[in-house]
Structures are given as C-alpha cells and as structure tokens.
C-alpha cells in the first residue's frame, strides 16, 4: 500500500490497533528443526510464549509470524496453534524467490535476505496498521511491550516519518560464551536516534565490552552507557513503502559482490532514512535485562531468570492456563 503526502499529513494510521510482527523464518536452521527447541520452564513454554504473553498484556491483539514454508507445519504444531487460542494469528512467508520483478535468486543461495526483506513480506497482511517487530527467540521484558504499544497507539507521520524502537543497555545483553551482534546506537539529548551501526562481533572481555572489525586483530572498547538495538522496532506503515522502494538498489549494489550472503537489514534502511532527513526514531529505554539462547550454554541463565520472574509474581506458574 502506497502512502502519499496528504495521507501522511492527515495521520491516517491514528486509531488503528498496533500489530506485533515476529520474525521466525530462521528458527528451523538455528535450532536444527523446531522439534529441537527446548522449553525454558517446566510447563513447556518457550521464550516466544513469554514475549506473546507480555505483548497481549500490553494491548496487542494480533500477531503476524514471519516463517518459511519449509517449517510451516512444525511451527504451527509447536507454536502457532497454541498461540491461536490467545491472540489473533496470521502467517506470512519469507522465501528466497520473493524478489522484485526482474531479479532472480542465485542458485546456490540458502541464506534469507535479511530483516528488511522479512518485514517487507508482511505488507499485504499489515495493511495500514502500525506495528512492532521482534525476534522470535529473544526475551525483551514486560516493560518493553508496554512502552512500545503506548508509543505506537499515538504515533502518526506528518511531514516526516515517525518511528520508534526500544533500546537496551549493551552490558545487559551480553553472553559469557562467545560473541554477539548488536546495533550500536547514538542518541541525542532527547533520546532521538542519530545513527545505528551494526557491530557483528562484540565480546565480553572481563568487565569490558569490545568489538572487532578485523577478526580479532584489534578491539575497540564500548562504554557502559552504550545503547543497542535488539530488533524491537515500532513503525507506521510508511516503512513498507520505503523498504520496497530501496530493495532493488540494495540488490543492484550487492548481488554481484556477495550473492550468497548479502542481507537487507532493517536497521540499515532506518539509518539511511535518518541521514536523509526523511525519518526520526524515538528511542524508548528499557531497564530490563535481555535474555536469549545465543549459545547452548546460555539456556541455564534464561531458565533461572524465568523462575525468578515467576517467584516475583511477574508471571503465573502456568503461563497460559492462568492468563
């Protein structure tokens, strides 16, 4: 759906209920098949259960899962059909051949086209609703869904595109067992995003977080007040038009040099739009710890955290049965 200037100035998305988009197309490959996903409590709940539980509590009434056709039946069996009892559910498919007219997927490519492409695949299902985007296997915390739902409920474009994201303290998103990739953010005094740089290898070295861009030959320290993106974004539907418009240029620039691994990252597009003066992004700070299973050794920490949350009364013992 294209949005012209008059529609943007009228704030036409106001009044539409925000939708939650969950990027899950890579789950099968990361876990070696969805049957291999381990629960994080004694009742069979996964991290995604807690995210959806928190989102529903915050006010979200519809969830769109982005998956691949190859994991459709497993995903619906282990996740989707359970969630359909608690929230409206829709599915869209991120497939390698979903490309603009005139472009073809390289024969040997198996890697998805990235988070920007994933969100673009949702355009028809989203229509003109504002939406939040999350990863399927990250725990974001209850407050994150509350603040982004509130922001999306009052957000509309005018002479600029107005977006939002939840930012986390870098030091609360690290693992002890290897490196992580994070979008490192620069903010102004009003918590508006100035730029975002993808750092694909950040490690904890003692009490210090450092990143490398030369395979470890040199390391650059990141201070404790560093804010990072964990892919919890909030958008008006105008982002869909921009993603569609910019995708062919990305393919032209990258298919010849890196045909099998280039990715159309959502933060790259947002950063471009900020630099061009087309969009601004309000960063909503979260004081919560991020939890995820980047490495198998991380699971114990996640399980302990969920148990502590239940003991503190943040969640019922039986998550959905007592909702």
């Amino acid at each position: 759906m294209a949005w012209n200037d008059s529609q943007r100035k009228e704030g036409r998305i106001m009044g539409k209920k925000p939708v939650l988009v969950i990027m899950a197309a890579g789950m099968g490959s990361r876990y070696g098949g969805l049957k291999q996903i381990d629960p994080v409590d004694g009742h069979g709940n996964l991290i995604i259960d807690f995210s959806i539980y928190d989102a529903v509590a915050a006010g979200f009434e519809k969830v769109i899962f982005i998956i691949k056709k190859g994991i459709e039946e497993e995903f619906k069996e282990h996740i989707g059909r359970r969630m359909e009892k608690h929230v409206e559910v829709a599915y869209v498919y991120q497939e390698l051949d979903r490309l603009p007219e005139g472009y073809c997927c390289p024969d040997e490519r198996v890697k998805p086209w990235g988070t920007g492409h994933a969100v673009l695949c949702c355009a028809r299902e989203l229509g003109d609703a504002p939406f939040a985007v999350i990863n399927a296997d990250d725990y974001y915390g209850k407050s994150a869904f509350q603040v982004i739902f509130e922001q999306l409920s009052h957000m509309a474009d005018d002479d600029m595109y107005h977006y939002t994201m939840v930012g986390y303290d870098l030091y609360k998103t690290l693992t002890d067992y290897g490196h992580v990739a994070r979008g490192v953010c620069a903010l102004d005094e009003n918590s508006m995003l100035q730029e975002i740089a993808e750092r694909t290898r950040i490690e904890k070295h003692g009490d210090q977080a450092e990143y490398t861009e030369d395979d470890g030959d040199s390391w650059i320290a990141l201070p404790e007040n560093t804010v990072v993106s964990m892919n919890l974004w909030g958008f008006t539907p105008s982002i869909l038009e921009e993603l569609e418009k910019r995708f062919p240029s990305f393919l032209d620039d990258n298919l010849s040099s890196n045909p099998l691994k280039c990715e159309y990252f959502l933060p790259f597009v947002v950063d471009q739009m900020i630099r061009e003066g087309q969009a601004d992004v309000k960063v909503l700070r979260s004081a919560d710890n991020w939890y995820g299973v980047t490495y198998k050794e991380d699971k114990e920490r996640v399980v302990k955290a969920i148990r502590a949350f239940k003991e503190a009364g943040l969640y019922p013992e039986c998550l959905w049965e007592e909702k």
Side-chain angles (χ1 to χ4, degrees), residues 89-103:
V89 168
Y91 302 91
V92 299
Y93 305 97
Q94 184 184 17
E95 298 296 330
L96 291 175
D97 60 358
R98 291 193 68 169
L99 295 173
E101 186 175 354
Y103 293 86

Side-chain angles (χ1 to χ4, degrees), residues 88-154:
E88 181 184 351
V89 168
Y91 302 91
V92 299
Y93 305 97
Q94 184 184 17
E95 298 296 330
L96 291 175
D97 60 358
R98 291 193 68 169
L99 295 173
E101 186 175 354
Y103 293 86
C104 297
C105 179
D107 290 338
E108 297 180 5
R109 184 175 178 113
V110 295
K111 192 176 187 65
W113 291 107
T115 52
H117 178 257
V119 171
L120 185 55
C121 292
C122 294
R124 182 174 296 180
E125 185 64 41
L126 279 165
D128 57 359
F131 61 99
V133 181
I134 66 170
N135 296 329
D137 45 11
D138 289 322
Y139 175 87
Y140 292 95
K142 299 179 80 69
S143 64
F145 292 98
Q146 294 166 355
V147 296
I148 203 163
F149 181 85
E150 179 68 17
Q151 185 77 5
L152 285 170
S153 297
H154 297 92

Side-chain angles (χ1 to χ4, degrees), residues 81-218:
R81 293 190 183 101
R82 291 191 298 109
M83 296 302 104
E84 290 170 6
K85 301 173 184 176
H86 310 286
V87 65
E88 181 184 351
V89 168
Y91 302 91
V92 299
Y93 305 97
Q94 184 184 17
E95 298 296 330
L96 291 175
D97 60 358
R98 291 193 68 169
L99 295 173
E101 186 175 354
Y103 293 86
C104 297
C105 179
D107 290 338
E108 297 180 5
R109 184 175 178 113
V110 295
K111 192 176 187 65
W113 291 107
T115 52
H117 178 257
V119 171
L120 185 55
C121 292
C122 294
R124 182 174 296 180
E125 185 64 41
L126 279 165
D128 57 359
F131 61 99
V133 181
I134 66 170
N135 296 329
D137 45 11
D138 289 322
Y139 175 87
Y140 292 95
K142 299 179 80 69
S143 64
F145 292 98
Q146 294 166 355
V147 296
I148 203 163
F149 181 85
E150 179 68 17
Q151 185 77 5
L152 285 170
S153 297
H154 297 92
M155 213 165 66
D157 298 326
D158 41 44
D159 57 342
M160 288 187 69
Y161 300 128
H162 297 299
Y163 304 145
T164 189
M165 63 160 278
V166 176
Y168 289 78
D169 295 339
L170 169 63
Y171 282 63
K172 294 181 178 180
T173 74
L174 301 175
T175 174
D176 292 323
Y177 303 105
H179 66 268
V180 297
R182 300 286 184 260
V184 176
C185 303
L187 314 182
D188 68 11
E189 65 277 7
N190 298 312
S191 294
M192 302 301 293
L193 184 64
Q194 298 300 289
E195 63 179 14
I196 181 167
E198 193 73 15
R199 304 301 183 195
T200 58
R201 186 176 172 184
I202 301 174
E203 293 183 10
K204 184 190 292 187
H205 294 159
D207 294 330
Q208 181 79 55
E210 299 178 331
Y211 74 91
T212 182
E213 294 183 321
D214 54 15
D215 292 327
D217 289 339
S218 61

Side-chain angles (χ1 to χ4, degrees), residues 7 28 52 74 119 121 123 271 308:
Q7 287 174 316
I52 295 174
E74 274 192 301
V119 171
C121 292
D271 190 60

Side-chain angles (χ1 to χ4, degrees), residues 1-4 7-8 12-13 16 119-131 157 161 163 236-245:
M1 175 177 291
W3 282 74
N4 60 40
Q7 287 174 316
R8 290 169 59 191
R12 285 279 297 277
I13 70 159
K16 290 286 185 178
V119 171
L120 185 55
C121 292
C122 294
R124 182 174 296 180
E125 185 64 41
L126 279 165
D128 57 359
F131 61 99
D157 298 326
Y161 300 128
Y163 304 145
T236 61
S238 55
I239 189 65
L240 301 170
E241 181 180 357
E242 290 295 327
L243 288 168
E244 182 178 21
K245 181 172 67 177

